[in-house]
Amino acid sequence: MILRPITVALAVASAYGAVAEPIHRRDDLAFQIEKQNKISIQGVLDNIGPKGSKAPGAFPGVIIASPSTENPDYFFTWTRDAGLTMKMLVDEFLHGNLGLRSYIQDYLKAQATLQTVSNPSGALSSGRGLGEPKFYVNETRFNGDWGRPQRDGPALRATALITYAGWLLSTGRKEDAKEAKEKVWAVVQNDLNYVAHYWNETGFDLWEEVRGSSFFTTAVQHRALVEGSALGKRLGFPTANYDSQAPNILCLLQTFWNGKYAVANINTDMQRTGVDANTVLASMATFDPEATCEDTLFQPCSPRALANLKVYVDSFRTIYTINAKSPNSSAVATGRYAEDVYFGGNPWYLTTLAVAEQLYYAIQQWNTINSVSITDVDLPFWKSVYSPAKVGKYGKNSNEFNKLLDAVLDWADAFVEVSHKYMPSSGALAEQYSRENGTALSARDLTWSYAAYVTMRGARLSATSNYPQLPSWGAPSANKVPSVCVASSAPGMYKPAVAAGAPPGSGGCAVLVTFNLNATTYYGENLYLTGNTTDLGNWRLEDALPGTANEYTEERPLWKFEVELPANSTVSYNYLRKQDDDSYLYETQNRTYTVPVCANQGEGGTATVEDAWLGPTGTPSTRLI
Ligand SMILES: *[C@@H]1O[C@H](CO)[C@@H](O)[C@H](O)[C@H]1NC(C)=O
Ligand SMILES: *[C@@H]1O[C@H](CO)[C@@H](O)[C@H](O)[C@H]1NC(C)=O
Ligand SMILES: *[C@@H]1O[C@H](CO)[C@@H](O)[C@H](O)[C@H]1NC(C)=O
Ligand SMILES: *[C@@H]1O[C@H](CO)[C@@H](O)[C@H](O)[C@H]1NC(C)=O
Ligand SMILES: *[C@@H]1O[C@H](CO)[C@@H](O)[C@H](O)[C@H]1NC(C)=O
Ligand SMILES: *[C@@H]1O[C@H](CO)[C@@H](O)[C@H](O)[C@H]1NC(C)=O
Ligand SMILES: *[C@@H]1O[C@H](CO)[C@@H](O)[C@H](O)[C@H]1NC(C)=O
Ligand SMILES: *[C@@H]1O[C@H](CO)[C@@H](O)[C@H](O)[C@H]1NC(C)=O
């Protein structure tokens, strides 16, 4: 596939001809970037099974989040992190790194299998299981408590694979077209069906903390349906559900804008400003080199995305010690969001690099559309990168155009320099760096940190040379916002992608069973359900299903358990009381339950079981505090 080169971008570089110093500085930075880029690509490959040197035991194509197994334990594969990483690898593949194809194919096979692994979010047959955030590296379910579901994963996986399918369809080779149609589509279709089905339900955000509607999730879902629909049409598959839902998702996306910035999470009671790297990452993840500076699509060069970027950056100026000496409008270390307390709440490499990456994409877009328009909305951003900036439209051949782009490039580069300043000399990228002194913190060798470096480098090269741009995902024709936003859902079918490597016979029809248990409990006592199948934790205490007491009242001491179970199967189960001193009380008998048969092909339907606790009741421990 031939990516459309951006020859016009050369003009940006040549605009510096008059000033010797910046050119030198930029060459030096470019040199440093190439060096760190090599380390970063290798850092990613080291974290992919089965051969990655830091991913022992990971199955082929499984991308671990980090080799760190304690404090924090990230030795899992996250659907989101893996999807973003794979998109980077596919982009590198398109840019000529042909050795990466086997990684892409292994990933496809691993994802086909993971889609069928039933898990605490659900099973494949209802689609719910696709929202599970993470799995063990041996492709088995993780039963621990977690912020689930997370609905960005399927969209990001689809985007990575759709980009690969675009290449397969461009080679003219029959076997490549067949791989796209039979293997890639089989996996992508489940993910797109999930998005069309569940986009209008809440889930956890990309930081796994807030339950609500996340800007990032909504933005990447819109993109996935738009490009998925285009691919489906090329391959001859039905796309009506994608076409009907994409505009509704875009409509919801508009509602996050509060006049000053995009609020990261809505439909939540989380008390935060909502200023968050979530939105910057969303702008990057939905960048389209052929789009204009569209506010509706929050494109990197759009007034809203630029205004948002300034608000985001400024939120870290005074809170981190390492930023204290930086002048007001200069580049600084940035993190996830100002209220963050995870590992002490520090800057992250991937978020600091994101500021630069958004702006490199913006530079590409201004060069393509041959102008920069400064509006009241983004004037504050412009003033901080170029103080004489004024509202107006500046054409390609004007001096002002060159000055503006020059200033943006310098500003973006300065964020890369900040990240470099706080990288260890080995180039190893952890998750965070200390807000106090800049030393690396939290998970080491974070795959996403490395991937973020590589995408930043590609974005910069395309902004400053004729390095080919990323392929368009169809944004220019997907910007129509319906006049009224509607709540909706288009349920679809989910099938194991057997042709792509899913185990034959997997992914059978499952029924969503609600177990209602009457059990009077004291504050601090918790109830669990356990049983003789994988879905019920195989009688293992640590894998037992936690219950919720949201509807518990004095009149109705109700504990609820929800689990998808294979239709027409029989299970043996019972309930457990976990005392406030972590000991357990057991029921005095085991129960059996036969799940109804499949309601109809695919959709398994629902069932409810009514139970009452049979066994000893608990008493609060009398431990002294
Ligand atoms: C998969 O990995 C987990 C975590 O290491 C382990 O507990 C489990 O036994 C493994 N399962 C299989 C089937 O190997
Ligand atoms: C569902 O869509 C409607 C219409 O856009 C919106 O008002 C509502 O917040 C959405 N809810 C979720 C959870 O996405
Ligand atoms: C920097 O910003 C702070 C807070 O907005 C302001 O109080 C201060 O005067 C500014 N300093 C400079 C040098 O502009
Ligand atoms: C840097 O700060 C972190 C806390 O953010 C602290 O744990 C660490 O010891 C400090 N390192 C040095 C070299 O001062
Ligand atoms: C349900 O299972 C029973 C025995 O396990 C089997 O005889 C029956 O055909 C199954 N019903 C359906 C609808 O699959
Ligand atoms: C679980 O127990 C039920 C009831 O005894 C039995 O029919 C079923 O086969 C068991 N399932 C497994 C996976 O052992
Ligand atoms: C329920 O079944 C499990 C697994 O066979 C067994 O360990 C447990 O003792 C049984 N409980 C009762 C009360 O029979
Ligand atoms: C649970 O409690 C409710 C309210 O007291 C009662 O109506 C219901 O029959 C109970 N369920 C069982 C299985 O005992």
Side-chain angles (χ1 to χ4, degrees), residues 27 112 153 174 193 230 323 372 377 395 431 522 560 580 595 604 608 616:
D27 285 350
K174 269 214 179 88
N193 288 354
N323 290 342
V372 167
V377 174
E431 180 182 73
Y522 62 83
K560 257 186 195 294
D580 61 2
V595 182
T608 307

Side-chain angles (χ1 to χ4, degrees), residues 29 41 51 59 114 239 246 253 256 294 448 506 516 565 599:
L29 179 64
I41 292 195
K51 294 201 186 111
F59 278 26
L114 284 172
T239 61
L253 191 72
F256 290 75
E294 209 51 85
W448 190 357
S506 63
N516 286 332
L565 296 174

Side-chain angles (χ1 to χ4, degrees), residues 331-352:
V332 287
T334 68
R336 300 192 301 177
Y337 52 91
E339 303 91 336
D340 196 0
V341 292
Y342 181 58
F343 271 80
N346 295 288
W348 287 37
Y349 294 107
L350 73 92
T351 58
T352 308

Side-chain angles (χ1 to χ4, degrees), residues 320-323 333 343 345-349 422 432-442:
Y320 296 155
T321 308
I322 56 172
N323 290 342
F343 271 80
N346 295 288
W348 287 37
Y349 294 107
Y422 299 118
Q432 313 182 18
Y433 51 103
S434 162
R435 65 195 289 157
E436 302 298 334
N437 54 43
T439 57
L441 280 177
S442 186

Side-chain angles (χ1 to χ4, degrees), residues 132-148:
E132 179 68 1
K134 68 175 194 180
F135 296 85
Y136 287 120
V137 304
N138 59 10
E139 299 174 347
T140 60
R141 59 189 276 153
F142 165 71
N143 287 336
D145 280 345
W146 211 255
R148 55 169 70 93

Side-chain angles (χ1 to χ4, degrees), residues 305-385:
L306 294 171
N308 181 71
L309 186 67
K310 176 179 161 52
V311 172
Y312 163 73
V313 169
D314 285 348
S315 72
F316 300 97
R317 291 194 183 281
T318 58
I319 67 165
Y320 296 155
T321 308
I322 56 172
N323 290 342
K325 295 206 180 82
S326 305
N328 270 3
S329 60
S330 69
V332 287
T334 68
R336 300 192 301 177
Y337 52 91
E339 303 91 336
D340 196 0
V341 292
Y342 181 58
F343 271 80
N346 295 288
W348 287 37
Y349 294 107
L350 73 92
T351 58
T352 308
L353 293 167
V355 179
E357 188 170 332
Q358 182 188 325
L359 294 173
Y360 296 145
Y361 288 141
I363 291 171
Q364 294 181 41
Q365 295 181 313
W366 289 314
N367 273 311
T368 301
I369 63 175
N370 294 314
S371 66
V372 167
S373 293
I374 301 181
T375 71
D376 286 333
V377 174
D378 57 353
L379 184 62
F381 160 80
W382 284 104
K383 281 195 164 302
S384 62
V385 304

Side-chain angles (χ1 to χ4, degrees), residues 289-304:
E290 292 175 13
T292 54
C293 300
E294 209 51 85
D295 268 340
T296 51
L297 293 171
F298 213 66
Q299 285 297 301
C301 67
S302 67
R304 285 186 180 178

